[in-house]
Each structure stands twice: as C-alpha cells, then as structure tokens.
Amino acid sequence: MNADNICKFKKKVEKMRVVSLINGSLISETSSIYSFYYAKELGYTPLLVYIKGKDSLNAIQKSVTELQKVGNKLGIEVEFQLFENLNEFKKFVEKGDVDIVFASTRHNHTILDKSFIKTILNRKIEVDFAVVKVIKSGIADAVDKIILPIRDSKLSIRKFIFFSVLNLAYKSEGEVYSINKVSPFEFKNSIKYIQKRTKEIFFNLRHYFRFAKIAGFNFSIKADIAIAEEGKVETHIAKHNFNLAIVGAHHSKIFFGKHPIDVLFEKPIINTIYFIPYKG
C-alpha cells in the first residue's frame, strides 16, 4: 500500500457514518443517543435516517431538531437523510461508508416478532446492526455500568469491541458476566465448579484483557452457574445496578430448557442492545 492509498484509506475511515433509524418516537430518540456516544468515541459522523412510512413527518422533524441539539451538547454534528424506501436505504448502506446501524424496538417485542426491524434484518443488508430495546427512555446519556452477559466463555471479538467502544464512550464500568447452565450434580459442587470455570474463562479470554489495556479501559469478569433459574441474569443485573446490557441476538440451542440469558430477549429489565454482526 503506497502513501496515496494510505491517505485515501484514512479519508475513507474518517467519513464513516453511524446510522440511527428514527420514527419520531422517544424510543428511537433514546436509541439515537446511544449511537451518538458510539460515533463520537470513534470520530465517525452520526446520521439520522428516516425511511418513509406511516409516521408523521412533523414528528420526524421534531425528533431531528431535538437530537441535533443533543449532538451539539456532545460537540458532534448530526446529519439527517430521508429515504423513499428500504431498497434505497440498502443501496446507500452497501456503498461501504456505514459502520453500523442502530435501530429501536418496543420492549414487548422479541427480535423475531413481525415488525419493521425484522423486515430490515431479513433483507440481509451488509452491515452490523445494534437493535435497542428501550425499557426506559431519556437515560441514554447517563450510563455508568454496562454488562455483557455471555454463555460460558463464548465471546466474539466483534461483540467485545462494540462493548469496548461504549464503555470508553461513557467512561463506564464494564463487566463480562459469564453464566453456564449446569446439571444438578455439578451444581452440588458449585464452589469448586465456579473456581474451575473462572480460571478457564480468564485463560480463554486473556487476549481481551490485553486489548482492553491497549485501548485504555478496565473491565471485570464474573463467572456464575445456574440449573434452571431463568431469572439468574435479571437478579444479577438488578443487584449490581447495571443500566445497559449488550447481548448477541440469538437463542440457545439446548434440549433441557432455556438458558438464563434468553430472558433478555423476552423480558429485559434494563435498556438492552442486541448486537447483530453481518455474516457475509
């Protein structure tokens, strides 16, 4: 790569956009504020997008005005663009200068419910998505504890980087909460089991600590086990006062009931972002 190509690549990165889909609701405004913090941390441009539908254009314009005021307070310039339909939006995104798309959904919807979000995801647009389930609006600028629940030691680098960017953006405390569903026999020896699993998890995730040190932020790892307590994750979140959760958007494929993390897809108790990386 010669100097000219390096310069072009640098300019390309600097022009990257973080898209937030809006519909004039407080829920979409809350989702947009999360996207602003993410964009600011990376030095990217936040772009509000409305895909024409049945929503009030007056409500859309009001949202844009309010969100641009939020952007001004954060010291970032917020752009807005309107698209006639989903095909037009898909072509825009796939030009390659969009880093991620934030979108919101009602807390009583699952990711797979029939909805506009599901329609978008089914189009397989070549971009990562961050789908925000908003339980409480108006708190996206006050995040001090972020939790990333994982199954065992399964943590993709893409999900961890997303988690890292938001931790850096909010200067928050971050925790990777590893929970493993175990048999009754294993649960009887829970203390020894947890000690063993904690050691293994720290070893398996040690490269993430290296990355965090380079990036300049700290996070902790908590290991836990459950037999059938679907509320185990909820209890941990409430007990330690987390105000944002990040999870991967998929259900466990197990034969003896739900995994405790699955409750976050059905009845989250705090604002939750479902990170859905594009799989080409």
Side-chain angles (χ1 to χ4, degrees):
M1 185 178 288
N2 61 36
D4 289 339
N5 287 337
I6 291 173
C7 184
K8 289 178 183 178
F9 179 75
K10 182 178 179 182
K11 287 180 179 178
K12 178 73 173 177
V13 171
E14 288 174 347
K15 290 182 179 179
M16 292 293 284
R17 291 181 172 88
V18 173
V19 167
S20 181
L21 300 178
I22 60 171
N23 59 14
S25 68
L26 288 175
I27 289 174
S28 71
E29 289 179 11
T30 300
S31 173
S32 296
I33 294 171
Y34 288 125
S35 78
F36 291 176
Y37 277 85
Y38 177 92
K40 181 180 179 181
E41 182 61 33
L42 293 173
Y44 293 167
T45 300
L47 173 65
L48 301 174
V49 164
Y50 176 62
I51 302 171
K52 275 191 176 180
K54 298 179 181 179
D55 308 292
S56 163
L57 290 180
N58 286 335
I60 298 299
Q61 189 55 58
K62 183 178 178 182
S63 267
V64 171
T65 300
E66 291 302 314
L67 287 168
Q68 286 177 333
K69 289 179 182 177
V70 174
N72 288 338
K73 290 180 181 178
L74 290 174
I76 55 177
E77 184 177 346
V78 178
E79 299 179 351
F80 170 66
Q81 194 161 343
L82 184 147
F83 291 89
E84 292 293 327
N85 51 56
L86 190 51
N87 284 335
E88 187 179 300
F89 175 68
K90 185 175 187 291
K91 290 178 183 177
F92 169 78
V93 170
E94 293 181 349
K95 286 179 182 178
D97 63 348
V98 173
D99 174 71
I100 192 169
V101 175
F102 279 73
S104 61
T105 186
R106 285 177 287 180
H107 67 83
N108 57 347
H109 276 186
T110 72
I111 293 297
L112 300 179
D113 278 344
K114 185 177 180 181
S115 64
F116 182 60
I117 294 301
K118 183 183 177 183
T119 300
I120 291 176
L121 294 176
N122 285 343
R123 294 302 298 271
K124 299 187 184 303
I125 300 174
E126 297 177 8
V127 72
D128 295 343
F129 275 87
V131 179
V132 185
K133 263 196 177 183
V134 179
I135 306 302
K136 188 174 182 181
S137 59
I139 63 168
D141 57 351
V143 176
D144 56 18
K145 295 189 75 174
I146 302 176
I147 185 171
L148 172 60
I150 63 172
R151 296 161 174 81
D152 200 16
S153 59
K154 297 175 182 177
L155 177 57
S156 72
I157 186 64
R158 294 167 74 176
K159 191 192 303 179
F160 183 78
I161 288 175
F162 181 77
F163 166 75
S164 302
V165 172
L166 286 175
N167 270 286
L168 286 164
Y170 284 103
K171 297 179 176 58
S172 61
E173 294 180 35
E175 179 182 281
V176 174
Y177 180 56
S178 169
I179 184 163
N180 195 27
K181 193 163 186 177
V182 299
S183 68
F185 174 77
E186 289 170 321
F187 193 80
K188 285 181 181 179
N189 300 286
S190 59
I191 295 177
K192 289 183 178 179
Y193 185 86
I194 289 177
Q195 289 175 341
K196 179 184 176 183
R197 289 302 303 135
T198 300
K199 185 177 179 180
E200 291 174 355
I201 290 165
F202 269 87
F203 181 79
N204 292 338
L205 301 182
R206 65 193 184 283
H207 48 292
Y208 292 112
F209 283 102
R210 297 173 191 146
F211 173 82
K213 188 170 182 64
I214 294 170
F217 81 98
N218 295 315
F219 75 98
S220 59
I221 291 180
K222 163 72 175 175
D224 209 346
I225 59 174
I227 301 178
E229 302 98 324
E230 293 178 11
K232 189 91 173 189
V233 178
E234 288 180 301
T235 301
H236 182 74
I237 287 173
K239 181 178 179 181
H240 296 281
N241 298 313
F242 290 99
N243 38 41
L244 180 63
I246 297 170
V247 293
H250 65 276
H251 281 270
S252 306
K253 295 179 180 179
I254 52 180
F255 296 101
F256 51 96
K258 296 176 182 178
H259 190 283
I261 289 179
D262 290 338
V263 73
L264 296 178
F265 298 92
E266 298 161 4
K267 297 178 181 179
I269 61 172
I270 61 173
N271 290 0
T272 302
I273 301 178
Y274 303 87
F275 177 66
I276 310 172
Y278 173 71
K279 297 179 180 178

